[in-house]
Amino acid sequence: MPLPVAEQRARFAHMIGARDEISTRGPEWQVDRGGKPFAEADTCTIYQARWPAIGDGAVAGAGLWIEPKGDPRGYAIVIPDAGQNPEELLGLDGWPGGDRPGAGAPLQLAARGYAVAVPYLIGRTEADPKVGGREFLNRSAFELGRTVIGYEVQKVRALAAWMSAQAAGAPVAVAGYGEGGLIALYAAALDERITGVLCANFGPQADAWAQTADRNLFGRLPDFGDAEIAAMVAPRRLVLANPGFPEVRVPAGSHAKPGYNAPPSDEAFHAEAERLRSKPAPDGWDPAVAPADPIAALCGEAAAYPAATLTAEARPDDPAFATRAQRQFDEINTFNQRLLATCAATRAAFAKDLRFDSLDAFAESSEKYRQIFADDVIGRFDLPLAKPNPRSRAIDAPAGLRRYEIVLDVYPGLFAYGILTVPDGIAAGERRPCVVCQHGLEGRPQDVISGEGSDGWRAYKGYATALAQEGFVTFAPQNLYIFRDRFRVLQFKANAIGKTLFSLIIPQHQQIVNWLGEQPFIDRGRIAFYGLSYGGKSAMRIPPLVPEYCLSICSADFNEWVWKTHPPTAPTAMSIPASMRYSNSSIPGSTFNYAGNGGAHRPAPFMVERYHFDGVAP
């Protein structure tokens, strides 16, 4: 049974991070032009403008405001592609963008008597050339339950709210092209004050994980393909177009997540439109698909409009445009910082039901949080573990130890691998404690066995071997955070269905401890987890959900994780944090930071190791 539309909207707004109160104060002329028009036409006057969007206006929209000559018959918002100057849509002589989708649309609407806003969308390369403005902002916003998409949707909704209040019953139309098409559709799906939408970015989203990182929406695909989002627009006017837009390709091997955005093929576009039409809809609701004149379809009329003659003093290289882009970036970055200052209190309020007056009270009260952590933060697959079907082979070991490579089946197509080290001299019937020793980012089990890390690091100092020489059985698993771009792409693929890398790692560890507990020389009640670096991150996320781990040691990774992903300014080569550099901002942090992860552990010994010269966090 599908959810009521109001519940769908609430879920979708939460997913994209459209959570902050919008302003309805409306546009103001750009101060640096003293209220003077940017351009004049025979049908309208064009100003550069900005408008408060979120809360007290800490995040504002910016772009163009086009006033028709005479009282407006309605209002419209035309959204260009990411990083495209709104001025390019006007068709000024000598300006770029005349052949881009949406060119001329603002003036077509103004000629029909609409007052039109044309906002600027954060670009992909500005502010930081290594990561790009959109991905950089999204990495930190993601940890706070927000996204760049959500911020820009709220900018559009703030304008729509002001517009709808100007004249009761006047139409409020939104049109978007490229990235602007995505923002237009999302805003219209959420806000009924928008009376009609033209989306020129519509198609199947099965490859959402392969797109650029700023489009990463946690848990989108099970419930919100483009057809499902468009269905929330009903019964209002919906126009779908596929004019194409510039492809975006982020190559592998950079600081940014590899990604590829491209317009859908005509076949894919129409297939998604047919999927939309197959959904229940109000009687008479019929979206316009690929009309010959999308703007006329949006306005509900085919009347001709006079050609506009434009005059403007500004040129495409006007430094004011770069200033505007930087201001838009800085406002969101600063707003993220403001959220950061209050998010600890938000998490404390979330965890208010945890009780600490006794171990029993903690165990009982923490169960609810552990389930939230498993389902909503980590994400888990509702699949039974396969039979382990263990395979092993002996490998070289120091004197006094025996060592084996072990492979276990977990799910169809997913296996677990690790290195088991067993001390000599275990008596018949004797059961030893076992320590699972976890490597770090880009690591291998051999790192904790020999101390000679695969990349030359010696931080691990062979601690799995040292523990075995003290009499413990040890097991060193291979975790999935390896091969840089490959594991990051796997993470985004998981995010698209509401899962994470740990949705796969946790069942691997469950199978490992199940198998270890069956060995006649291991005490199944004393299997511990000891992780260093990213293995320390694993120590925060795996043991709470694998009850057979009797204790957990987090080494060299226990930090204020959400804070760590929020550099106050765009990064430089020296200042970019490791969490930003490797795109590790992949676990939503608005409810569980590291202290919250600790609270999700069962009552059991838990230890943090911290080094004065740790390069991972101050």
Side-chain angles (χ1 to χ4, degrees):
M1 177 71 71
L3 290 174
V5 173
E7 291 185 38
Q8 291 182 48
R9 287 185 179 132
R11 286 188 59 199
F12 188 61
H14 185 83
M15 180 180 296
I16 68 173
R19 307 181 187 185
D20 303 291
E21 182 181 358
I22 59 174
S23 171
T24 58
R25 294 212 309 265
E28 58 194 32
W29 311 141
Q30 196 76 296
V31 174
D32 55 12
R33 291 191 61 84
K36 295 178 181 179
F38 167 77
E40 291 278 0
D42 48 7
T43 57
C44 58
T45 304
I46 303 170
Y47 298 89
Q48 288 177 322
R50 55 186 283 111
W51 54 94
I54 295 176
D56 59 2
V59 175
L64 296 178
W65 176 250
I66 305 174
E67 282 194 345
K69 301 290 175 70
D71 294 335
R73 58 169 284 197
Y75 296 86
I77 305 166
V78 179
I79 314 171
D81 200 5
Q84 183 181 12
N85 280 323
E87 293 76 10
E88 295 179 16
L89 299 187
L90 296 179
L92 291 163
D93 289 341
W95 284 63
D99 57 346
R100 294 275 292 270
L107 295 181
Q108 292 179 41
L109 287 158
R112 286 177 164 89
Y114 284 78
V116 184
V118 189
Y120 173 82
L121 297 189
I122 299 293
R124 301 191 183 281
T125 58
E126 63 209 11
D128 178 63
K130 291 184 177 180
V131 176
R134 295 184 73 81
E135 180 169 346
F136 178 86
L137 292 174
N138 207 64
R139 288 186 186 183
S140 53
F142 188 80
E143 297 295 327
L144 298 165
R146 277 47 170 203
T147 66
V148 170
I149 286 172
Y151 283 136
E152 293 184 324
V153 165
Q154 294 298 73
K155 292 180 183 181
V156 172
R157 293 183 67 202
L159 263 179
W162 175 82
M163 289 173 169
S164 68
Q166 301 312 297
V172 178
V174 177
Y177 302 85
E179 205 66 22
L182 178 152
I183 301 299
L185 181 64
Y186 291 8
L190 293 180
D191 204 317
E192 291 182 313
R193 289 169 291 203
I194 296 171
T195 60
V197 58
L198 161 57
C199 172
N201 184 351
F202 182 84
Q205 294 297 324
D207 68 343
W209 58 271
Q211 298 170 22
T212 53
D214 54 292
R215 293 188 179 178
N216 184 34
L217 299 177
F218 191 83
R220 171 191 171 159
L221 286 187
D223 299 305
F224 294 111
D226 275 7
E228 286 74 20
I229 298 168
M232 289 189 279
V233 175
R236 294 163 287 149
R237 190 183 304 275
L238 172 63
V239 180
L240 301 175
N242 191 31
F245 51 84
E247 297 180 357
V248 176
R249 186 183 296 275
V250 178
S254 66
H255 287 290
K257 177 251 178 190
Y260 177 57
N261 301 348
S265 67
D266 284 341
E267 181 182 13
F269 166 77
H270 284 284
E272 190 71 2
E274 284 305 307
R275 208 168 67 80
L276 169 62
R277 283 174 166 152
S278 72
K279 295 186 173 300
D283 290 343
W285 188 64
D286 186 20
V289 177
D293 187 341
I295 291 296
L298 177 64
C299 297
E301 62 174 33
Y305 61 92
T309 302
L310 286 176
T311 57
E313 295 180 3
R315 303 306 304 162
D317 57 356
D318 189 329
F321 300 141
T323 300
R324 177 180 60 195
Q326 187 64 50
R327 183 187 293 126
Q328 291 280 282
F329 176 93
D330 290 343
E331 285 176 355
I332 292 179
N333 197 34
T334 300
F335 189 77
N336 283 341
Q337 298 295 318
R338 290 174 56 177
L339 290 175
L340 178 66
T342 61
C343 66
T346 301
R347 289 192 299 273
F350 166 76
K352 62 182 174 55
D353 294 331
L354 272 177
R355 294 175 55 199
F356 301 99
D357 42 309
S358 70
L359 283 177
D360 288 343
F362 177 76
E364 181 181 357
S365 63
S366 66
E367 183 59 31
K368 174 181 76 171
Y369 292 100
R370 191 157 41 253
Q371 296 308 312
I372 295 171
F373 184 62
D375 293 332
D376 300 338
V377 178
I378 296 296
R380 56 182 164 188
F381 291 102
D382 186 19
L383 295 171
L385 292 175
K387 292 183 179 180
N389 185 27
R391 286 86 79 196
S392 65
R393 66 181 180 190
I395 58 176
D396 290 342
L401 303 175
R402 288 169 289 137
R403 185 164 283 162
Y404 307 89
E405 288 186 308
I406 307 292
V407 175
L408 307 171
D409 291 339
V410 179
Y411 292 148
L414 178 68
F415 64 91
Y417 161 81
I419 297 177
L420 178 72
T421 303
V422 183
D424 290 341
I426 299 178
E430 180 185 4
R431 292 179 178 270
R432 296 280 181 92
C434 176
V435 183
V436 174
C437 301
Q438 190 62 65
H439 63 77
L441 184 68
E442 298 297 334
R444 296 182 181 276
Q446 288 76 8
D447 299 347
V448 302
I449 297 298
S450 68
E452 293 285 355
S454 57
D455 52 6
W457 291 3
R458 299 183 59 85
Y460 301 94
K461 297 186 183 299
Y463 74 95
T465 298
L467 285 167
Q469 290 169 336
E470 293 292 327
F472 294 90
V473 177
T474 67
F475 188 86
Q478 174 69 63
N479 271 5
L480 289 170
Y481 32 79
I482 192 170
F483 303 133
R484 293 185 180 267
D485 285 336
R486 289 169 62 186
F487 95 77
R488 288 191 286 171
V489 169
L490 182 60
Q491 175 73 273
F492 281 84
K493 186 178 287 190
N495 282 178
I497 56 172
K499 304 293 189 288
T500 66
L501 213 59
F502 285 90
S503 304
L504 299 171
I505 293 172
I506 286 169
Q508 287 178 319
H509 278 257
Q510 185 65 66
Q511 191 74 300
I512 287 167
V513 296
N514 290 351
W515 180 80
L516 289 172
E518 294 172 354
Q519 306 313 304
F521 50 87
I522 291 177
D523 182 347
R524 73 166 53 243
R526 291 192 292 169
I527 301 176
F529 188 99
Y530 189 168
L532 178 64
S533 189
Y534 217 107
K537 197 182 310 301
S538 301
M540 301 306 302
R541 295 170 178 170
I542 297 173
L545 304 181
V546 179
E548 288 78 7
Y549 280 128
C550 70
L551 67 84
S552 177
I553 300 173
C554 172
S555 180
D557 200 80
F558 191 89
N559 13 129
E560 241 282 10
W561 169 252
V562 178
W563 170 86
K564 206 177 128 180
T565 60
H566 285 68
T569 59
T572 64
M574 295 300 293
S575 69
I576 184 169
S579 54
M580 299 291 287
R581 185 167 61 242
Y582 293 117
S583 188
N584 292 344
S585 52
S586 50
I587 303 291
S590 57
T591 49
F592 290 90
N593 202 2
Y594 269 38
N597 290 165
H601 282 67
R602 291 169 175 80
F606 172 67
M607 175 180 170
V608 171
E609 280 190 326
R610 177 75 178 81
Y611 303 100
H612 289 298
F613 300 104
D614 186 348
V616 174

